[in-house]
């Protein structure tokens, strides 16, 4: 899969044409997967390339909306789309010029002309262009005039609610990891490069792998979670059961406010510094606490480790 993080997209237009899926796709949840299924169906039927066009940064991040966080980083989104079989993933730069581009100009100049789209796939609630004035219905009208087909996907419902990124985000913030799993069809994940820590866990008898969560990522409430860690390498990937503490570790932080994602893995004693790790969240175990001292904290962590072992025996997800 080609992963393009610029507006240099002209080489995608090979003359054969492509089917283009438009949107931000934060979360790649059930609704987005239904869109992708429509993209795949029409691309296979007409012999077109499958192109996913998103925006970087997310418009809400660009506008500086307070409290907004991403469910997926660009790299995480790319990994999912690669697994699905997309031919190209474009993170088109969202800037002042694009923000003020009339919707019809964006569709005709970027999607129809430069990409050579034969089919455009969007959700029924898709909004874009200057002042978010563009809609799925407008794309359909443009397609009828300029010769490309438009597929508008119906909403996907779960438990009587429309599946959308806002719903998934609310579940993360409520540490409802099972519902996140259901809505996304995969566990909520935080990924990053394994870093050297202070070796405190190793000294206390429970060594961890540590990553720094991306600054713009939505984080679940601080505490301990049942998780797995997938360690990525050129040779492949391996997953391990564990538990993760996410937070500022107030007992030993000595005033530091940086958020840490520290994962203890069962039956694991490898050095994986510098490798990418994907931490998958399945269930909340407890909230973050500040303990009187290291001894009390160590007793609680050992309880958490045993609790995790018992929960993993019941889940058997890996």
């Amino acid at each position: 899969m080609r992963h393009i993080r610029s507006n240099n997209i002209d080489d995608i237009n090979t003359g054969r044409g492509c089917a283009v899926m438009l949107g931000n796709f934060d979360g790649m949840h059930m609704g987005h997967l239904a869109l992708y299924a429509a993209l795949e169906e029409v691309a296979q039927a007409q012999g077109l390339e499958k192109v996913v066009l998103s925006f970087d940064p997310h418009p809400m991040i660009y506008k500086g909306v307070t409290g907004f966080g991403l469910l997926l980083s660009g790299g995480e989104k790319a990994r999912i789309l690669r697994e699905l079989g997309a031919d190209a993933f474009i993170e088109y730069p969202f800037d002042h010029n694009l923000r003020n581009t009339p919707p019809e100009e964006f569709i005709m100049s970027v999607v129809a002309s430069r990409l050579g789209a034969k089919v455009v796939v969007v959700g029924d609630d898709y909004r874009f262009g200057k002042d978010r004035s563009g809609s799925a219905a407008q794309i359909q009208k443009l397609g009828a005039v300029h010769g490309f087909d438009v597929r508008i996907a119906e909403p996907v419902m779960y438990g009587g609610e429309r599946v959308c990124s806002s719903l998934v985000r609310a579940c993360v913030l409520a540490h409802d990891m099972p519902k996140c799993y259901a809505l996304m069809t995969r566990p909520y994940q935080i990924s990053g490069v394994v870093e050297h820590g202070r070796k405190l866990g190793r000294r206390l008898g429970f060594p961890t792998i540590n990553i720094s969560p991306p600054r713009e990522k939505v984080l679940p409430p601080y505490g301990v979670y049942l998780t797995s860690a997938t360690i990525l390498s050129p040779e492949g990937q391996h997953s391990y059961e564990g538990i993760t503490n996410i937070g500022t570790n107030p007992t030993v932080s000595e005033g530091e406010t940086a958020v840490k994602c520290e994962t203890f893995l069962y039956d694991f004693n490898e050095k994986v510094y510098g490798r990418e790790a994907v931490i998958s969240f399945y269930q909340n175990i407890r909230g973050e606490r500040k303990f009187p001292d290291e001894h009390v904290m160590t007793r609680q962590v050992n309880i958490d480790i045993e609790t995790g072992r018992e929960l993993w025996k019941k889940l058997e997800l890996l």
Side-chain angles (χ1 to χ4, degrees):
M1 182 189 78
R2 287 168 288 173
H3 183 188
I4 301 170
R5 301 192 64 186
S6 74
N7 57 10
N8 185 19
I9 59 174
D10 298 288
D11 63 340
I12 288 181
N13 188 349
T14 61
R16 183 169 64 126
C18 60
V20 181
M21 185 169 91
L22 293 176
N24 288 304
F25 312 118
D26 190 25
M28 282 303 296
H29 50 62
M30 293 169 66
H32 297 145
L33 293 173
L35 271 179
Y36 186 83
L39 177 79
E40 190 168 45
E41 179 183 19
V42 69
Q44 289 181 349
Q46 299 185 31
L48 304 173
E49 289 199 66
K50 302 183 290 292
V51 176
V52 177
L53 193 153
S54 186
F55 304 95
D56 181 43
H58 190 291
M60 297 286 277
I61 297 291
Y62 177 83
K63 296 172 186 176
V65 175
T66 303
F68 180 84
L70 296 175
L71 297 168
L72 291 176
S73 67
E76 290 167 337
K77 200 181 299 183
R79 185 162 55 243
I80 293 167
L81 290 170
R82 187 175 292 109
E83 291 171 355
L84 288 172
D87 295 304
F89 170 42
I90 301 167
E91 292 186 273
Y92 201 88
F94 190 89
D95 55 18
H96 176 77
N97 289 334
L98 186 63
R99 182 181 182 182
N100 289 284
T101 298
E104 61 275 11
E105 181 181 332
F106 174 76
I107 292 297
M108 293 313 303
S109 65
V110 176
V111 178
S113 179
R114 296 182 66 195
L115 289 179
K118 303 299 183 185
V119 182
V120 174
V121 180
V122 291
D124 68 316
D125 61 343
Y126 183 55
R127 310 295 300 187
F128 68 103
K130 184 177 181 180
D131 301 322
R132 301 185 75 246
S133 57
S135 65
Q138 184 177 11
I139 298 174
Q140 200 163 41
K141 290 178 182 177
L142 289 169
V145 173
H146 297 284
F148 59 86
D149 293 331
V150 179
R151 303 291 176 93
I152 301 177
E154 295 298 317
V156 173
M157 308 299 290
Y158 179 86
E161 298 177 285
R162 181 185 181 121
V163 179
C164 61
S165 299
S166 296
L167 178 59
V168 179
R169 198 171 286 109
C171 291
V172 176
L173 296 174
H175 56 60
D176 190 347
M177 297 301 124
K179 188 172 181 180
C180 285
Y181 195 129
L183 295 173
M184 299 175 74
T185 71
R186 78 188 76 84
Y188 190 66
Q189 297 176 333
I190 298 174
S191 54
V193 176
V194 178
E195 306 169 334
H196 287 276
R198 291 181 295 174
K199 307 294 191 297
L200 177 64
R202 184 171 298 278
R203 177 170 63 81
L204 297 177
F206 41 86
T208 60
I209 63 169
N210 307 317
I211 65 172
S212 295
R215 181 172 54 86
E216 294 169 344
K217 181 92 171 180
V218 177
L219 300 180
Y222 296 168
V224 178
Y225 292 83
L226 187 72
T227 61
S228 67
T230 301
I231 310 298
L232 307 181
S233 71
E235 294 75 32
Q237 60 185 46
H238 298 280
S239 296
Y240 306 88
E241 298 170 354
I243 62 170
T244 293
N245 180 77
I246 186 164
T248 59
N249 209 337
T251 306
V252 295
S253 62
E254 300 177 353
E256 293 180 19
T257 59
V259 179
K260 303 175 180 65
C261 184
E262 304 167 305
T263 301
F264 172 82
L265 300 176
Y266 299 109
D267 305 314
F268 180 86
N269 192 29
E270 297 180 30
K271 292 182 179 181
V272 290
Y273 300 117
R275 293 188 186 177
E276 185 174 8
V278 180
I279 311 301
S280 299
F281 289 71
Y282 297 97
Q283 185 175 328
N284 179 243
I285 294 177
R286 66 169 174 85
E288 183 175 69
R289 301 179 198 167
K290 183 173 182 178
F291 299 98
D293 54 50
E294 286 185 5
H295 298 293
V296 178
M297 181 186 72
T298 299
R299 285 200 298 270
Q300 181 59 56
V301 171
N302 284 324
I303 292 172
D304 297 337
I305 289 171
E306 291 308 310
T307 299
R309 285 188 189 275
E310 293 304 312
L311 289 172
W312 270 115
K313 288 178 183 177
K314 297 175 183 178
L315 285 179
E316 296 181 350
L317 291 170
L318 293 181

